[in-house]
Every structure is written in C-alpha cells, then in structure tokens.
Amino acid sequence: MKKLYLNTGGINTIFNDLKDSLNGTLTLENNQYNLLVKSKNANGVINGISLNKHISYLQFNIFFNEDIELSIESCVNSPILYTYCFEGNLTHSFGMNGERKKIKSGQTGIIKNTSNINSVLYFEGYKQVRFSMICVNTYNAEMSENSQLFFDINKVFNSKSG
C-alpha cells in the first residue's frame, strides 16, 4: 500500500502535492488545473478549479496500480467536503485508526473534520475510481459577500460535540 500526503492550503498547493506524489504533469489553463497522471503509481486525470477563495471543485478520474492511502492534513478550520462517487469506491476515515466509511458508486458523502486528526481517503488498487469533490471553506467567511450562507453552512456541519 502506497501512502500519499496532502498539506492543507489553496488549490495550487493541493495540485502541486498531487503532481509530486503521483509523478504527473500539471497544466493551468483558464484558471483550471489539469493533472495528467501516467506513471507506475496511477493513470488518469485530476481536474480542479477554485471558484472563489471559499469554494473549489475537484474531479478525479483515475486508476491506481496499487492500494493508496491519501492522508489530508487537517486543522480545526478544515473545509467541508461534499463528495459524489460516479464509479468505483471511495473509503474515508478520520485518522488511520478511525472508523472507515465507504462511499460507493452513486453515493454522496459529506466530510467535515473539527479536530487535528487527518482525513484519510482509501482507494482500491486495480480499480477505476471517478468522483468529484466540492470544498467549501467556511473559515473567515464573514468578510465575504455570502457571509450568511457560509455561517449557516458552518452551523449545520459543526457541533460542539465534534
């Protein structure tokens, strides 16, 4: 099993980390990131765009040549991730030892981390996976023109109990 790590940050940081981890070729055209991966680790395409400083969209269409663990650095202000799986399976846990929850083809998952434990995505090797992810950063949204919307979203997906 191969382990990959992503640092939190803007979409540019995410795509550069993915490029380095998967040995891909990254291009930027009309503010859209396109990562073409043809390596011993994986084959496929990862696309993404930042719609504004609070909302980004990522789309994965990739075939991994072995089981992959993708650990995403977390913090209290991690974004809310809305995920939809088109094909294959995607499994998630909070930390390596956390409870694993599978998102199957045709299913949606909403992921919000309120602790410093990394979010981990697991991909099965030798199986195509195609999913999209909308990342909504509600941190410091009070300065935004849609501040009430971000406040309401944060209220729904944040609880004092964690």
Side-chain angles (χ1 to χ4, degrees):
M1 176 170 294
K2 184 166 181 69
K3 296 180 181 186
L4 307 175
Y5 298 93
L6 286 182
N7 293 318
T8 52
I11 195 166
N12 187 51
T13 303
I14 291 168
F15 270 92
N16 279 303
D17 284 354
L18 286 169
K19 175 186 73 95
D20 294 342
S21 297
L22 297 171
N23 298 317
T25 304
L26 181 61
T27 58
L28 179 63
E29 185 176 320
N30 296 325
N31 293 322
Q32 180 171 332
Y33 291 82
N34 299 297
L35 179 61
L36 177 62
V37 180
K38 286 188 178 183
S39 69
K40 66 178 185 166
N41 299 322
N43 290 302
V45 177
I46 304 170
N47 300 336
I49 190 165
S50 184
L51 303 173
N52 60 41
K53 67 180 181 178
H54 296 288
I55 300 174
S56 297
Y57 175 79
L58 301 169
Q59 183 171 316
F60 293 72
N61 186 357
I62 199 155
F63 180 91
F64 290 105
N65 296 326
E66 62 182 303
D67 290 347
I68 298 288
E69 286 181 4
L70 177 61
S71 181
I72 304 167
E73 181 184 46
S74 188
C75 63
V76 175
N77 303 316
S78 293
I80 299 168
L81 305 176
Y82 299 90
T83 305
Y84 180 78
C85 190
F86 295 97
E87 180 182 351
N89 295 316
L90 173 66
T91 303
H92 173 269
S93 72
F94 292 114
M96 296 291 186
N97 299 322
E99 179 185 356
R100 292 184 185 196
K101 300 202 178 198
K102 187 176 276 194
I103 302 171
K104 298 177 183 175
S105 182
Q107 290 184 327
T108 300
I110 300 172
I111 302 165
K112 172 62 177 153
N113 195 353
T114 57
S115 70
N116 288 329
I117 299 171
N118 286 5
S119 280
V120 183
L121 300 177
Y122 302 89
F123 303 98
E124 297 175 64
Y126 305 102
K127 293 186 179 178
Q128 187 76 23
V129 65
R130 194 165 57 98
F131 69 97
S132 63
M133 189 177 287
I134 297 172
C135 308
V136 179
N137 184 355
T138 59
Y139 181 67
N140 278 340
E142 63 273 355
M143 310 249 184
S144 139
E145 64 186 53
N146 296 314
S147 60
Q148 187 61 46
L149 171 66
F150 291 118
F151 176 78
D152 291 343
I153 290 171
N154 197 42
K155 189 174 167 184
V156 168
F157 293 105
N158 253 341
S159 69
K160 292 181 181 174
S161 67

